[in-house]
């Protein structure tokens, strides 16, 4: 039986096992997917089990998406550019790091039929997921990407890798067509974003990378102000779909049960 893991710390919240095990069963594969909470100094040993054929693949989540890179032989172009790995495969006895968050985000936006080309995008946050958003938005033809982060220095580090992005101070307003919440504000139902969202105007896309809770206060306010809103559910499903395809060579079906698995949590 092939074994797959998602590694992170914390990891309790991860819905990846439910999703992957559902698809594994549906496709009659002899495999099992589990989660593993690791300390940073345990990451290398677990990855080495792939080369020993004890594990067939690993998903990586917070805070190890960069940590895993030195243990790998090669990175996909997306992983290289974002310096972020969320999926590890073995190919011709080489450990390959992939980033399927980029594909997940792209497909989630496409599903909305929203045209990113020539749009101005404001990203709130500068954490681990943001390089994947920037990479995808640039590829989709965004006109301008603005970053606003509580700790300005972290946004400035991102600018060193992507010189064309603009930075505004946390709390400042800027004209834009899309606002993305890429902070962790909203993971707890009562989290409030101390930004005056009403000053941004309406008819925008409010996108939250968080999918649990289903509607963060950011999305609630965005919706009440007359904007299109979308949470991170499909981004999550599509990144998992891409990882599944890399490991098993099968595009898994996104059926009602998949949506239920994520909605019922
Ligand atoms: P990080 O921990 O790397 O970054 C967290 C970000 O949130 C930082 O920019 C941090 O700002 C900001 N932040 C946290 N608390 C506050 C606060 N009280 N006020 C202002 N800013 C705050 O996390 P990730 O980038 O890895 O993940 C961010 C979110 O994206 C998470 O909720 C995660 O679950 C979600 N995610 C969803 C995915 C999906 O498929 N839908 C994929 C990947 C992530 P500062 O720098 O100042 O600390």
């Amino acid at each position: 039986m092939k074994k797959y893991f998602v590694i992170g710390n914390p990891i309790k919240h991860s819905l990846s096992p439910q999703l992957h095990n559902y698809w594994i069963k549906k496709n009659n594969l002899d495999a099992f997917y589990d989660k593993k909470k690791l300390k940073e100094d345990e990451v290398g040993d677990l990855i080495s089990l792939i080369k020993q054929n004890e594990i067939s693949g690993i998903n990586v989540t917070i805070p190890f998406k960069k940590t895993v890179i030195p243990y790998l032989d090669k990175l996909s172009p997306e992983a290289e550019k974002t310096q972020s790995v969320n999926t590890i495969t073995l190919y011709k006895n080489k450990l390959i790091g992939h980033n399927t968050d980029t594909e997940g985000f792209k497909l989630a936006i496409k599903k909305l039929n929203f045209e990113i080309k020539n749009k101005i995008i404001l990203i709130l946050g500068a954490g681990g997921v943001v390089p994947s958003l920037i990479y995808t938005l640039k590829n989709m033809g965004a006109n301008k990407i603005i970053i606003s982060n509580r700790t300005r220095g972290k946004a400035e580090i991102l600018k060193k890798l992507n010189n064309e992005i603009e930075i505004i101070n946390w709390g400042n307003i800027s004209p834009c067509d899309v606002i993305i919440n890429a902070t962790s504000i909203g993971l707890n139902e009562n989290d409030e974003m101390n930004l005056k969202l009403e000053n941004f105007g309406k008819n925008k896309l409010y996108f939250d990378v968080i999918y649990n809770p289903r509607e963060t206060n950011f999305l609630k306010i965005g919706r009440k102000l007359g904007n299109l809103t979308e949470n991170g559910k499909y981004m999550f499903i599509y990144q998992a779909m891409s990882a599944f395809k890399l490991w098993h060579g099968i595009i898994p079906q996104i059926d009602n049960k998949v949506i239920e698995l994520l909605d019922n949590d």
Side-chain angles (χ1 to χ4, degrees), residues 62 125-129 149-151 154 182-185 209-210 232 236:
I62 194 168
V129 73
N149 193 49
R150 177 180 62 177
T151 312
K154 283 202 203 154
T183 71
S184 37
I185 311 171
V209 291
I210 295 172
F236 178 75

Side-chain angles (χ1 to χ4, degrees), residues 13 62 65 101 124-130 149-151 154 170 182-185 187 194 209-211 232-233 235-237 239:
H13 66 282
I62 194 168
K65 289 184 181 179
D101 287 331
L124 304 172
V129 73
V130 174
N149 193 49
R150 177 180 62 177
T151 312
K154 283 202 203 154
W170 183 252
T183 71
S184 37
I185 311 171
L187 281 177
N194 59 346
V209 291
I210 295 172
Y211 60 88
K233 183 172 70 183
M235 176 177 171
F236 178 75
I237 294 173
Q239 65 73 29

Side-chain angles (χ1 to χ4, degrees), residues 39-172:
K39 296 191 195 107
E40 187 160 345
D41 59 6
E42 296 170 327
V43 169
D45 284 348
L46 194 85
I47 292 174
S48 70
L49 294 181
I50 300 183
K51 271 201 175 160
Q52 294 162 31
N53 288 322
E54 288 189 34
I55 294 178
S56 299
I58 292 177
N59 271 152
V60 185
T61 187
I62 194 168
F64 299 135
K65 289 184 181 179
K66 205 178 168 76
T67 315
V68 297
I69 293 178
Y71 302 106
L72 306 175
D73 299 309
K74 205 172 170 242
L75 298 182
S76 72
E78 293 82 8
E80 179 72 51
K81 186 73 191 132
T82 57
Q83 287 295 295
S84 173
V85 166
N86 78 330
T87 305
I88 302 174
T89 60
L90 189 69
Y91 182 70
K92 293 190 176 163
N93 210 34
K94 296 258 181 277
L95 289 165
I96 319 287
H98 303 263
N99 177 340
T100 71
D101 287 331
T102 52
E103 180 79 355
F105 179 58
K106 182 178 90 183
L107 294 177
I109 294 286
K110 284 203 162 165
K111 186 175 183 297
L112 286 174
N113 278 328
F114 188 90
E115 184 60 76
I116 289 291
K117 203 169 162 58
N118 297 328
K119 297 288 196 317
I120 300 174
I121 322 288
L122 172 63
I123 300 177
L124 304 172
V129 73
V130 174
S132 301
L133 305 180
I134 295 173
Y135 175 91
T136 308
L137 291 164
K138 270 166 49 176
N139 279 348
M140 293 178 95
N143 175 8
K144 199 197 291 185
I145 300 171
I146 306 161
I147 306 280
S148 175
N149 193 49
R150 177 180 62 177
T151 312
R152 191 183 162 104
K154 283 202 203 154
E156 276 157 7
I157 293 170
L158 285 178
K159 190 171 167 64
K160 283 193 186 133
L161 298 170
N162 298 278
N163 193 37
E164 65 277 40
I165 64 174
E166 288 182 19
I167 300 174
I168 60 170
N169 282 335
W170 183 252
N172 282 7

